Amino acid sequence: NILIEGDNYHALSVLNYTHQGKIDVIYIDPPYNTGAKDWKYNNNYVDSNDGYRHSKWLSMMNNRLRLAKKLLKDDGVLICAIDENEFNRLGLLLEEIFGNHEQHCITIVHNPRGVQGKNFSYTHEYAYFSLPLGIKVISHRKIKEEDIEWRNLRDNGGESLRTDARNCFYPIIVRD
């Protein structure tokens, strides 16, 4: 087992000399291109006003994902975390690079209270799983009823009242 912490492009490049085709799983958590400044890495990869920001972000990811693919064993799995800012584009890029793999986009709830977006609050991020066709990587399992957390369609925790966060509540209108 090996854990490498550092710039992902440089780490992937170096690993291709010593570990090409030998890695079982790669988990990457790239910059989401949100413009946030409170991260250890640059989450403002491209200025939000740049007309080519998605293209530049895709180019950056393309280089890294192609290096990552070379590292994976034939039955290796890539997992990539992402949020709503680039998840559509990332999905298309993964389909192109990992065309002979299944693509699964899984929703991961991180904050039941939500984080205010431009129009909606988000409680989740995503993880893309790229796995070779025909390979079973998740075993069969049955979740016990008591292990399921049922929630109402509302924010949780403090500051979750309608008076505290008016634009975090959305009506559901049912005809008749």
Side-chain angles (χ1 to χ4, degrees), residues 1-173:
N1 296 323
I2 186 172
L3 176 65
I4 296 175
E5 185 177 341
D7 179 79
N8 53 23
Y9 184 80
H10 297 118
L12 291 168
S13 296
V14 169
L15 282 172
N16 264 289
Y17 288 106
T18 58
H19 290 75
Q20 195 171 73
K22 297 178 182 177
I23 306 294
D24 294 310
V25 176
I26 295 175
Y27 172 84
I28 60 174
D29 189 359
Y32 293 173
N33 217 18
T34 63
K37 306 265 192 252
D38 57 343
W39 295 92
K40 290 181 181 178
Y41 58 80
N42 180 7
N43 202 22
N44 191 17
Y45 185 74
V46 181
D47 183 78
S48 61
N49 296 320
D50 188 328
Y52 297 99
R53 69 187 168 115
H54 298 298
S55 177
K56 290 175 181 177
W57 186 87
L58 280 169
S59 179
M60 182 266 303
M61 287 301 297
N62 179 60
N63 295 335
R64 285 150 177 82
L65 289 172
R66 290 192 186 279
L67 286 170
K69 184 178 182 185
K70 290 180 191 177
L71 289 169
L72 289 172
K73 291 180 177 178
D74 289 339
D75 61 348
V77 175
L78 175 92
I79 305 166
C80 186
I82 199 68
D83 74 356
E84 73 280 353
N85 288 287
E86 298 290 355
F87 89 101
N88 289 321
R89 290 162 201 81
L90 177 62
L92 293 171
L93 184 61
L94 289 170
E95 283 180 19
E96 178 184 323
I97 295 172
F98 292 87
N100 59 341
H101 286 61
E102 293 179 34
Q103 303 297 328
H104 297 278
C105 184
I106 307 301
T107 302
I108 300 168
V109 175
H110 283 290
N111 181 357
R113 287 186 49 214
V115 175
Q116 183 61 48
K118 292 178 184 164
N119 288 310
F120 291 91
S121 292
Y122 292 93
T123 61
H124 61 279
E125 292 178 358
Y126 304 95
Y128 272 101
F129 288 74
S130 296
L131 48 129
L133 296 172
I135 293 179
K136 183 83 172 148
V137 295
I138 306 290
S139 64
H140 296 286
R141 67 185 180 115
K142 175 84 171 130
I143 299 174
K144 296 177 191 171
E145 185 72 25
E146 62 267 17
D147 291 337
I148 299 173
E149 180 184 339
W150 296 100
R151 299 174 23 131
N152 294 326
L153 290 171
R154 66 176 292 277
D155 283 343
N156 284 10
E159 299 178 2
S160 295
L161 300 175
R162 200 176 288 266
T163 54
D164 298 326
R166 294 181 192 281
N167 54 349
C168 292
F169 287 82
Y170 316 106
I172 297 175
I173 301 171

